[in-house]
Amino acid sequence: MQTTDTVLMIEPIAFGYNAETAENNYFQIEQKGADIQSKALAEFRIFVEKLKSKGINVITVQDTIDPHTPDSIFPNNWVSFHKDGKVVVYPMFASNRRVERREDIIESIQKQGYEVTEIDDWSLPEIQGHFLEGTGSMIFDHDHKIAYGSVSLRLDENLFREFCKKYDFQPIVFHSFQTVGKERLPIYHTNVMMCVADQFVVICLDCIDSELERSKVIETIKNSGKEIIEISEKQMQQFAGNMLQVQNKEGEKFLVMSQTAYQSLNPQQISRIEKYCEIIYSDLHTIEINGGGSARCMLAEVFLPKK
């Protein structure tokens, strides 16, 4: 089951630029002005309504003023919800993101009729400086039990392999880079350069500088029977890799992305995606600029069983 019809989204109450995460998230740009939160909230609400209008179940929980969590709009980094009833909580790089982990959010999902059998807390390694930021850092091919992970400060290779062993995923480890000024620097999250859908994979292969690692990733995707839809590094910079496939209650599939990502795609890429599913896109400009994340980061998939 690659896609779910239910996603968790956190409504922002004090969204803004986070200097802690900007240390290694090169997508972030600080915008000045008191209206950043109001613009982000408007973008968030329009996005939620677009998803709901297609029959996708969106569980929204409002963020809290205290503690201050400027990145709470991106819940997929701290939590994942699995079909066996397990909820996994992850170790986070930025200290001000660690307080995003809220039990009441998990409880609110249970109140919607979902079963939680166990909360598997992996957060302890963050004290020693080891991080594994959920489905930001790991991209799951659920049907084939493969996990793709690009090594960075936000994905510790040993932790990734340990997670894959426990949850029975085959780990595909590689390194991906983006050009920042004149330097090639690690991409902070795998999900900005790669999206795995049920029948295809959108990926920026140019970001994988090692020919050996690139070949391994290509071979793994091809062996899983999925079509590779390649994007350029320039398109990746426009969040074209930060997509998520979801489905509605009738089982119709959709690829969700931002307007920025959609407008960066060429007609051939769009037609190749639309061969498999409809595209939903929404204007997330303020969120992308200040937060350095896009549509996929805002969606925490809920695979939990119904009670």
Side-chain angles (χ1 to χ4, degrees), residues 19-221:
E20 281 193 49
T21 55
E23 285 181 33
N24 50 46
N25 179 345
Y26 310 111
F27 292 83
Q28 285 179 252
I29 301 167
E30 184 175 12
Q31 286 182 314
K32 303 291 185 184
D35 59 347
I36 299 300
Q37 159 61 22
S38 60
K39 285 181 179 177
L41 181 59
E43 290 174 0
F44 175 90
R45 287 178 172 168
I46 291 167
F47 187 25
V48 168
E49 288 310 310
K50 283 189 176 184
L51 295 172
K52 286 182 174 179
S53 73
K54 296 294 184 179
I56 296 151
N57 183 29
V58 182
I59 300 171
T60 57
V61 178
Q62 193 177 61
D63 191 18
T64 54
I65 282 286
D66 186 32
H68 177 51
T69 50
D71 280 324
S72 61
I73 203 168
F74 306 130
N76 79 311
N77 300 142
W78 71 263
V79 68
S80 61
F81 306 94
H82 299 259
K83 64 181 180 181
D84 60 359
K86 284 184 181 172
V87 176
V88 184
V89 176
Y90 296 95
M92 306 282 285
F93 166 75
S95 58
N96 65 1
R97 293 211 62 190
R98 297 169 193 172
V99 290
E100 291 175 30
R101 298 187 294 245
R102 289 166 45 194
E103 281 187 31
D104 66 297
I105 291 175
I106 298 168
E107 288 164 6
S108 70
I109 290 173
Q110 288 177 283
K111 286 174 186 171
Q112 296 278 336
Y114 292 92
E115 185 180 351
V116 174
T117 57
E118 180 189 343
I119 296 176
D120 187 10
D121 189 348
W122 284 64
S123 64
L124 197 61
E126 70 192 15
I127 298 166
Q128 281 83 41
H130 302 294
F131 314 110
L132 186 66
E133 294 196 337
T135 54
S137 62
M138 298 180 286
I139 311 297
F140 297 131
D141 181 336
H142 293 283
D143 294 334
H144 298 90
K145 298 298 287 183
I146 299 165
Y148 297 89
S150 176
V151 177
S152 73
L153 275 174
R154 315 281 192 97
L155 181 139
D156 179 274
E157 184 177 342
N158 291 332
L159 263 185
F160 175 53
R161 291 186 182 279
E162 190 181 331
F163 178 91
C164 289
K165 187 175 181 181
K166 180 170 182 180
Y167 283 87
D168 196 29
F169 282 95
Q170 175 195 354
I172 303 298
V173 179
F174 60 97
H175 298 74
S176 63
F177 301 88
Q178 65 188 114
T179 300
V180 182
K182 294 181 179 178
E183 291 184 274
R184 290 292 276 171
L185 298 174
I187 289 175
Y188 80 110
H189 275 161
T190 316
N191 78 356
V192 295
M193 54 78 64
M194 181 179 195
C195 161
V196 174
D198 60 344
Q199 297 180 76
F200 62 95
V201 173
V202 177
I203 185 169
C204 180
L205 292 170
D206 287 346
C207 291
I208 307 173
D209 291 353
S210 161
E211 198 174 317
L212 194 65
E213 290 183 348
R214 190 164 60 248
S215 297
K216 172 71 172 173
V217 170
I218 292 169
E219 180 189 11
T220 305
I221 295 168

Side-chain angles (χ1 to χ4, degrees), residues 207-268:
C207 291
I208 307 173
D209 291 353
S210 161
E211 198 174 317
L212 194 65
E213 290 183 348
R214 190 164 60 248
S215 297
K216 172 71 172 173
V217 170
I218 292 169
E219 180 189 11
T220 305
I221 295 168
K222 285 183 174 176
N223 287 344
S224 72
K226 297 181 195 283
E227 180 182 350
I228 294 173
I229 300 175
E230 195 172 348
I231 56 171
S232 67
E233 187 172 334
K234 187 177 180 182
Q235 289 173 318
M236 186 275 299
Q237 297 276 10
Q238 300 299 307
F239 295 101
N242 197 241
M243 305 166 168
L244 180 68
Q245 190 183 45
V246 296
Q247 64 184 51
N248 64 15
K249 298 172 189 73
E250 284 73 47
E252 294 173 301
K253 304 273 179 32
F254 304 89
L255 191 66
V256 182
M257 66 187 74
S258 72
Q259 182 175 296
T260 307
Y262 181 79
Q263 289 175 342
S264 79
L265 299 175
N266 63 44
Q268 185 193 25

